[in-house]
Structures are given as structure tokens and as C-alpha cells.
Amino acid sequence: MTRTNGVLGRRGLRTGVEWSTPGAARARAAQLVAEHRSQQREIVRNPHLNTEWARAAVRTPQLLAAVQEAIGQDIAVENTFLVVKWPGRAFEIPWHQDGIDARLELDPDRSVSAWLAISDATVSNGCLHAVPGSHQFGYLPFSSEAEHDAERGRADQAIGFTADASTALPLPAGSALLMDSRLLHRSGTNTSNGARVGLNVRYAAPGGIRRRDPQSPSPDPISGTG
């Protein structure tokens, strides 16, 4: 049975986890911005499968220790997204929950999501906003957002959810935010002068994936017995 407060407690989130030094993270962000600037690429799917920096990032000892504390020693990465928010380019991510989509549903007792700040994430450049404690609503119905002709596609959004108040979660480069798989969160358009770069990670323990689309990548074990 799912724990009342979830794997991360009453608020459903944890900050203050480091995955890199700030300088190394900002250097990586600069490299990624240079790499994707010409095409203004906004989303790169599963970079942990084919780039060494992302493969190392999801295995950072302090980050991995925090994930293990929440869901146990045997950990796999189910999915990653590199997200680049370019300055002045509309890119709103609606209210959603990381643990459910058309491909799968993650057991909230055996999963956790992480957001890694590669560049500094600020209110002006589109940091995450969350509603602490909203994971206790459970998984909500969802649908694809309205068509906006962006190459990145249409994000999922929670149906019928509006927040009267939410908490902005700015993060310095090199730090990470852990979230309960059911926590409702969103982010806004980057209105600053520089790109905002982050890596989304979904971690799962054995038995944590409730259903799967056969076309989705297999989990990548990173600790424990595999």
C-alpha cells in the first residue's frame, strides 16, 4: 500500500541535493547550448543512453544516495529528457505529474523523479513551480496540451487542476530537486537573456513500472543487483 506521505514526506519534494559542482555544471550547459543553438533544439530524449556526460550525471553518488534513501538500493533509470529553454521563445510546460503518461504508470512507492539544474534555474528563465503536498491527490486524469506547432510536440497536462498558489523552486547549477512521482509541477517561458538547461530523470525500483508501451526504452539499471 502506498505510504500516506509518500517516499519524500509530506511536501513530496526534496531540495539541496548536489549532482555536480556549479562550475562544472555551467561549463556543461555552455557546451550543450553551443551544440543545440543552430537548430534551437528544445528537447533531447534519453541522453543517458548515448552521451557520457548524462550517463555519469544520473549516477552521481550524492544524487544516487538520495534516490536510494527514498526507494531502495536497486535503482534503474526509466527515462531522461534534456530540456533547453531558449530566451524569448515561448515554452510553457503545463501542470503535470511525472509518473504517469500514455506509456506507463510508475508506482509512487517505488519511483521518484529528479530535475537536475545544468545552468542556473531562476524565476525569470523558467524554473519549476510546484504545489507542495499535491502528490497526496494521487494520479489525476491527463490529456495532451493544445497544439502549438512546436517541434518538441505536445506535453501532457493534468485535467481540471488549477493552483491558487504554488512555490517557485529556483536552483543553482549543479543542484537537483527530487519529486514524488505524483507531485504537480509546471514551468514557464524563459524571459531572461540566456538559455536555461536542465535534465529530467525518472528513477524506478524493481516492480515500480506498472504498465509499459513495448516501444519505450527498457529501464537502465544503475545500482544494486540489476
Side-chain angles (χ1 to χ4, degrees):
M1 180 177 293
T2 300
R3 283 170 269 183
T4 301
N5 285 328
V7 297
L8 295 174
R10 180 178 58 84
R11 284 170 54 82
L13 58 88
R14 177 180 171 184
T15 57
V17 179
E18 294 182 0
W19 68 272
S20 171
T21 64
R26 292 180 186 121
R28 177 62 61 188
Q31 182 266 321
L32 291 167
V33 167
E35 180 181 345
H36 297 296
R37 178 180 285 115
S38 63
Q39 295 183 334
Q40 294 281 290
R41 197 170 183 187
E42 294 174 315
I43 291 180
V44 179
R45 290 172 170 79
N46 292 306
H48 73 287
L49 296 179
N50 50 35
T51 61
E52 186 55 40
W53 74 266
R55 186 170 181 82
V58 300
R59 291 168 168 79
T60 303
Q62 186 173 339
L63 173 61
L64 191 56
V67 173
Q68 290 174 320
E69 182 180 343
I71 61 174
Q73 295 300 302
D74 295 339
I75 304 295
V77 172
E78 190 282 322
N79 176 279
T80 60
F81 286 90
L82 174 69
V83 179
V84 182
K85 288 198 172 191
W86 300 97
R89 186 171 182 177
F91 190 169
E92 296 271 345
I93 297 179
W95 289 110
H96 67 284
Q97 299 167 302
D98 283 347
I100 189 167
D101 59 32
R103 298 188 301 114
L104 56 79
E105 180 179 317
L106 298 182
D107 182 341
D109 266 352
R110 296 180 175 87
S111 64
V112 69
S113 64
W115 195 88
L116 282 58
I118 305 177
S119 63
D120 295 295
T122 66
V123 173
S124 64
N125 72 12
C127 72
L128 268 61
H129 292 246
V131 179
S134 60
H135 61 296
Q136 297 187 46
F137 300 155
Y139 284 127
L140 302 181
F142 65 92
S143 64
S144 296
E145 66 178 339
E147 181 62 57
H148 44 58
D149 297 323
E151 184 179 343
R152 63 179 175 269
R154 299 163 66 190
D156 289 331
Q157 60 182 349
I159 294 176
F161 178 78
T162 56
D164 295 329
S166 62
T167 299
L169 298 165
L171 293 176
S175 65
L177 167 70
L178 296 187
M179 294 182 288
D180 188 291
S181 296
R182 302 160 295 178
L183 188 76
L184 284 150
H185 59 286
R186 62 168 295 276
S187 65
T189 290
N190 179 358
T191 60
S192 75
N193 294 321
R196 193 220 73 180
V197 188
L199 182 69
N200 299 4
V201 189
R202 291 200 294 205
Y203 290 101
I209 301 172
R210 288 180 169 170
R211 67 173 192 264
R212 293 189 62 76
D213 181 325
Q215 302 303 312
S216 62
S218 298
D220 179 22
I222 60 173
S223 71
T225 63

